[in-house]
Amino acid sequence: MPVIDLRSDTVTKPTEEMRAAMAQAEVGDDVMGEDPTVNRLEQMAAELLGKEAGLLTSSGTMSNLIAALSHCRRGDEVIMGSEGHMFWNEVAGAATLAAVQVRTVPNDSQGRMDPGDVEASIRPPGNIHFPRTSLLCLENTHNRCNGGVLTPEDTRSVSEVAHANGVAVHLDGARVFNAAVALEVPAKDLVADVDDVSFCLSKGLSAPVGSVLCGSQEFVEQARKWRKMLGGGMRQAGVIAAAGVVALETMVDRLAEDHSNASRLASGLSQVPGIRLDPGSFQTNIVFLELEAELGSVHEFISRLNQHGLKVSYPGGRRIRLVTHRHISPGDVEQAVDIVAKVAREQRKPAA
Ligand code: TLP
């Protein structure tokens, strides 16, 4: 039975062009700074994002951790969104390995933070009892907040508050190119007001591995040292970087297809009795639905979807997440909606 895998855009496999580029990549020892393909990818990423330098890391999680390590000292406080990936999904790495205290500020349904809330969360200096607030972490697109997009103005309004108080700003831009495509603006406009940004090559962009962390020359030098300490200094990493170069050259514009498939998916699902979602609230490739109580157990629902060949992910509560990507066609979307509708019919409790 063919499987429709909507668990994540991380399931995308490298293209033939990526595989060919990987096989032929010119390589060297990247810990010695001598891998020409890694150097090319890092420079390309930095230019695209309007930053001075870039650093290839193994994953988005590693980039985010390195950003916390580079900006903060032990015992500092870091502000994160209440729904942020760094807060929810990174195994408390910032708290454990960067030894910072995490303070959360509410995210709205699109992943934005209120500048007033951010300001109120920054510790005033001069009080011996308080930790120093050293970093604000933003996310664009915002995974748990419906794949929501922050506009350049959204980012500027909170970054200005942080900077006015001596707080650095890190952007987890794992899917920042999705945001750029959705808003039809260059990615560099979305990151102009942050100190550093990480993005993933291995999500919608379809590369097999990697993330690039971009910022000032000084920041990246420090980040490179932390990467080494974490065991992330890779040698002939040009083999990985070659796929990343192809990803940036060929995979960005097509993200629009994933967005239109997601929007088709959301409107199809919104017609299914027992499924709650507002199709207008999804701007990119991530869709969430909520199961009404009449559809019974979420775990049972998901396992029945699996039995019918539809894979989804479970973020908690009564929510189910569905993510479109390069391997999902409009036909798959139609079929996915049919499967959800069928399982909903089967699981519906008869009215008492
Ligand atoms: N997100 C994964 C899971 O961890 C949930 C996914 O399937 O969406 N930032 C954001 C906003 C992310 O969505 C992710 C991955 C990461 C960072 C971490 O990236 P990796 O998986 O490369 O460590």
Side-chain angles (χ1 to χ4, degrees), residues 7-8 10 59-61 64 85 89-90 139 141 143 172 174-175 200 202-203 321:
R7 284 173 302 171
S8 184
T10 58
S59 66
T61 302
N64 286 336
H85 194 276
N89 284 346
E90 298 185 13
E139 189 174 318
T141 66
N143 187 339
D172 174 356
R175 297 185 181 83
C200 289
S202 61
K203 298 198 162 58
R321 189 186 76 159

Side-chain angles (χ1 to χ4, degrees), residues 6 19 66 80 85 97 114 119 141 143 161-163 169 188 211 246 264 268 271 291 301 311 332 338:
L6 298 179
R19 289 179 189 272
I66 290 175
M80 294 184 188
H85 194 276
L97 300 173
D114 182 286
E119 182 139 47
T141 66
N143 187 339
V161 167
H163 289 146
V169 183
K188 67 165 73 160
S211 159
V246 176
R264 220 179 289 224
Q271 303 298 312
L291 283 194
F301 196 91
K311 291 189 179 176
D332 293 328
D338 289 348

Side-chain angles (χ1 to χ4, degrees), residues 6-11 57-64 83-86 88-90 138-144 170 172-175 198-203 209-211 286 313 315 321 323:
L6 298 179
R7 284 173 302 171
S8 184
D9 45 10
T10 58
V11 303
T57 72
S58 63
S59 66
T61 302
M62 183 183 269
S63 283
N64 286 336
E83 296 300 319
H85 194 276
M86 287 181 75
W88 276 86
N89 284 346
E90 298 185 13
L138 308 177
E139 189 174 318
N140 196 10
T141 66
H142 203 291
N143 187 339
R144 286 180 67 87
H170 163 65
D172 174 356
R175 297 185 181 83
S198 58
F199 70 90
C200 289
L201 295 162
S202 61
K203 298 198 162 58
V209 188
S211 159
I286 299 182
S313 67
R321 189 186 76 159
V323 183

Side-chain angles (χ1 to χ4, degrees), residues 141-163:
T141 66
H142 203 291
N143 187 339
R144 286 180 67 87
C145 295
N146 301 319
V149 161
L150 305 184
T151 64
E153 295 70 36
D154 294 332
T155 302
R156 185 173 315 126
S157 62
V158 281
S159 300
E160 275 176 3
V161 167
H163 289 146

Side-chain angles (χ1 to χ4, degrees), residues 240-276:
I240 290 170
V245 169
V246 176
L248 288 177
E249 283 172 348
T250 65
M251 291 285 122
V252 173
D253 294 341
R254 66 151 305 287
L255 295 172
E257 282 173 43
D258 300 343
H259 299 174
S260 69
N261 282 334
S263 137
R264 220 179 289 224
L265 176 66
S267 50
L269 292 172
S270 70
Q271 303 298 312
V272 178
I275 300 289
R276 203 179 310 147

